[in-house]
Amino acid sequence: MNITKEQVDDLNAIVKVAITKDDYQENVEKILKDYRKQANIPGFRKGQVPIGLIKKQYGKAVLVDEVNKLLQDNLNKYLTEEKLDVLGNPLPKQQDNFDWDKEEFDFEFELGLAPSFEVSLQTKKPITSYKIVADQKMIDEQVERIQKQYGKLVSKKEVSKVDEISGLFKNEAEEIENRFVIELDKVKSKKATDALVGKKVGDVVTLSTKGLFKEDHLLTHALGVSAEKGEGLNIDVEFEIQEINEREPANLDQELFDKLFGKDTVKSEEELKAKIKEDSEKQFEQQADQKLLNDITEYFIENTKFDLPVEFLTKWIKMTGENPLTEDEASEEFQKSEKGLRYQLIEGKIIQENEIQVQFEELKEFAKGFIKSQMAQYGQLNPEEAELDSIAARVMGNQDEVKRLSEQLMSQKLLTLYKEKVNLKTKELTYDKFVSEVYGS
């Protein structure tokens, strides 16, 4: 077998593979002999079928199969040994009047080659790195939410503006009948609030669904309908009051602090607020980091210039897609995926040049950290190391989970590199201002 490469240009090449009879004959003969031993053909005893008949029935199929195996194995080996960085997979060139009756075969494959380019981590313009802080207003609101969440319900006879009203929503025409607790501080409609205040258990109030709650999703929960049905719903519903309660705020005492954070972790209201600030800013840091990673990614894509073998990649998409594509459809698919492909190449080069690797042991520790944070959300603050190891072992046995965690850890390593090398400017602001500046709302 002889394999040669013809360089078309910097981004395209043709690989030619010449296969002779000596390359495949021994394997083909062996397989046909095995067929003969197992063949059941009427008129012949098992194992006594003439080899000529076996060749006539199975010879060409076995030949084609063996030649294709030779092609696949040796082409992949050649690409590895020659260190050819290809995009997509080699595409076989169509050959008219190909003759499988010959003893020697010539094949050609088109290659799309990865471009050569440089990536500079020293950006010309500084990229904004946000530091989001929890201001006093946010901390105070969080303290109020905690007191409300852990407070106790006090039964009342008449609705006031601070109450929670349990009741039944009804509308026969729309087949609505659903129990729900209305928190009056979450009601947007002044007309609805006025209609409810002063009412007693057993009273029935007619409410309009349009603009009823401050948050749209509450309407779908209140009525027990789908999000699609609840969106823009403008009907009247009856609300039968079944229970009226006022939530008395919990005291900011040691019992509450221990319930929230574990025994003696927090010992005063000042420490509670400091803890809320610390935990909030830790969560904000994740959002700020993701924003920074996105911005740096966009910068590299926009400022790292290189060409791609567009014609080859379009053809590759057309030929390897799940469904047949026209030339225009393949071109459109390439345009959709081009940005992701460019960053994939850029990221790969950054990882290679900076020798970034994900080792098994550090991936396992990363998995344990992830598991620990998940358990903390359900109140398990100090899990045993043996329990963490056991869960991590199960996670590491799932290839999809390993792939997902590896990607997360690699992103974390890249972010650490970017923070060290990229030209950044820090901007400190509150969460509300961050949301307004970044998302425009």
Side-chain angles (χ1 to χ4, degrees):
M1 180 182 298
N2 186 37
I3 303 179
T4 57
K5 178 171 71 76
E6 176 186 314
Q7 195 77 25
V8 178
D9 55 38
D10 289 343
L11 299 174
N12 296 274
I14 302 291
V15 168
K16 297 181 179 181
V17 183
I19 295 179
T20 66
K21 187 175 181 179
D22 290 341
D23 296 319
Y24 60 80
Q25 185 65 20
E26 184 178 342
N27 278 353
V28 169
E29 292 290 346
K30 181 179 181 302
I31 292 169
L32 290 175
K33 285 177 183 177
D34 290 340
Y35 274 26
R36 186 187 182 210
K37 293 176 185 176
Q38 303 299 326
N40 285 311
I41 296 178
F44 299 95
R45 284 186 298 167
K46 186 175 180 180
Q48 298 301 314
V49 181
I51 192 65
L53 186 56
I54 295 294
K55 286 182 178 180
K56 186 176 180 180
Q57 279 196 282
Y58 304 109
K60 185 164 289 186
V62 172
L63 170 67
V64 172
D65 190 44
E66 283 304 303
V67 169
N68 280 327
K69 284 180 183 176
L70 278 170
L71 276 173
Q72 183 175 337
D73 292 345
N74 287 278
L75 185 57
N76 289 338
K77 183 180 177 184
Y78 175 80
L79 296 178
T80 302
E81 289 177 348
E82 295 296 315
K83 298 180 180 177
L84 294 176
D85 192 0
V86 299
L87 301 178
N89 294 312
L91 291 179
K93 291 190 74 173
Q94 296 297 321
Q95 298 185 57
D96 296 331
N97 304 317
F98 188 85
D99 186 5
W100 282 104
D101 290 325
K102 296 193 306 181
E103 293 185 342
E104 297 186 353
F105 308 104
D106 294 309
F107 299 92
E108 293 186 357
F109 294 86
E110 296 179 59
L111 301 183
L113 304 177
S116 176
F117 60 92
E118 298 297 326
V119 182
S120 173
L121 295 180
Q122 290 296 320
T123 56
K124 293 180 181 178
K125 292 183 179 179
I127 296 174
T128 300
S129 175
Y130 291 96
K131 178 177 173 55
I132 308 171
V133 296
D135 60 2
Q136 194 60 47
K137 177 174 174 287
M138 172 178 279
I139 295 169
D140 290 342
E141 287 174 350
Q142 182 64 12
V143 170
E144 286 180 18
R145 278 195 290 271
I146 290 170
Q147 287 184 278
K148 185 176 180 180
Q149 181 182 348
Y150 289 90
K152 65 180 181 180
L153 293 175
V154 179
S155 180
K156 295 181 63 179
K157 293 182 179 180
E158 188 174 292
V159 177
S160 70
K161 289 186 177 182
V162 295
D163 294 337
E164 298 178 10
I165 314 162
S166 299
L168 184 67
F169 277 103
K170 278 187 178 181
N171 181 300
E172 288 186 12
E174 296 291 336
E175 298 182 343
I176 291 171
E177 185 170 343
N178 191 60
R179 282 182 169 77
F180 187 72
V181 178
I182 296 178
E183 298 177 54
L184 276 177
D185 60 352
K186 294 181 180 178
V187 172
K188 180 180 180 182
S189 168
K190 184 178 183 302
K191 186 176 179 181
T193 301
D194 292 343
L196 289 164
V197 169
K199 295 297 186 291
K200 299 177 181 179
V201 172
D203 288 346
V204 177
V205 181
T206 300
L207 303 173
S208 171
T209 60
K210 185 177 181 181
L212 180 57
F213 294 103
K214 294 175 182 177
E215 299 176 33
D216 293 338
H217 71 90
L218 288 176
L219 182 63
T220 62
H221 295 310
L223 304 183
V225 299
S226 65
E228 291 76 18
K229 184 174 181 178
E231 187 177 357
L233 188 64
N234 184 11
I235 59 171
D236 286 339
V237 290
E238 290 184 344
F239 183 70
E240 180 187 347
I241 298 173
Q242 297 175 331
E243 191 177 337
I244 305 166
N245 292 298
E246 180 179 357
R247 191 171 288 273
E248 189 176 280
N251 292 324
L252 296 176
D253 55 21
Q254 196 60 48
E255 182 183 353
L256 177 62
F257 301 153
D258 290 348
K259 191 180 294 184
L260 289 169
F261 304 107
K263 186 167 177 58
D264 294 336
T265 302
V266 168
K267 295 182 179 179
S268 66
E269 184 176 340
E270 288 70 27
E271 288 184 15
L272 170 66
K273 291 182 177 181
K275 181 67 173 168
I276 290 172
K277 181 178 175 65
E278 178 189 347
D279 291 348
S280 297
E281 290 181 354
K282 195 174 292 182
Q283 291 181 0
F284 296 155
E285 187 178 354
Q286 294 176 4
Q287 287 182 266
D289 281 349
Q290 188 58 56
K291 170 63 177 167
L292 178 60
L293 192 59
N294 292 343
D295 288 347
I296 292 175
T297 297
E298 286 295 324
Y299 178 90
F300 284 146
I301 292 171
E302 292 298 320
N303 293 276
T304 308
K305 303 299 182 184
F306 53 82
D307 293 325
L308 290 169
V310 177
E311 186 177 341
F312 169 84
L313 290 170
T314 304
K315 186 187 293 187
W316 179 71
I317 290 171
K318 181 181 178 183
M319 294 180 67
T320 58
E322 290 184 10
N323 301 309
L325 297 177
T326 65
E327 195 73 35
D328 288 342
E329 287 171 337
S331 179
E332 186 178 340
E333 284 299 313
F334 169 73
Q335 289 171 23
K336 288 179 184 176
S337 60
E338 181 181 2
K339 201 171 185 180
L341 174 58
R342 286 184 176 277
Y343 186 66
Q344 189 178 342
L345 291 169
I346 293 167
E347 184 182 75
K349 192 170 186 66
I350 292 171
I351 290 169
Q352 181 185 22
E353 289 184 346
N354 292 276
E355 299 179 344
I356 303 174
Q357 295 180 337
V358 172
Q359 305 289 351
F360 178 82
E361 283 303 318
E362 63 181 347
L363 183 60
K364 183 181 175 183
E365 289 303 311
F366 182 73
K368 285 165 67 175
F370 179 77
I371 293 162
K372 195 172 181 179
S373 66
Q374 291 290 100
M375 293 174 76
Q377 292 180 19
Y378 295 95
Q380 294 177 265
L381 300 177
N382 295 298
E384 296 288 335
E385 193 68 21
E387 184 181 9
L388 285 174
D389 284 334
S390 175
I391 299 172
R394 291 200 298 272
V395 170
M396 298 295 282
N398 183 318
Q399 290 303 309
D400 290 338
E401 282 297 303
V402 169
K403 182 174 182 293
R404 184 178 65 83
L405 289 170
S406 295
E407 289 171 351
Q408 289 182 2
L409 181 54
M410 180 57 76
S411 290
Q412 195 177 91
K413 285 173 170 279
L414 283 168
L415 186 63
T416 300
L417 175 72
Y418 296 156
K419 285 182 176 181
E420 292 174 357
K421 303 288 186 181
V422 172
N423 182 13
L424 302 178
K425 61 176 181 181
T426 302
K427 185 171 185 178
E428 186 174 301
L429 71 184
T430 65
Y431 182 74
D432 287 344
K433 289 183 178 178
F434 170 78
V435 171
S436 177
E437 181 167 320
V438 172
Y439 305 108
S441 61

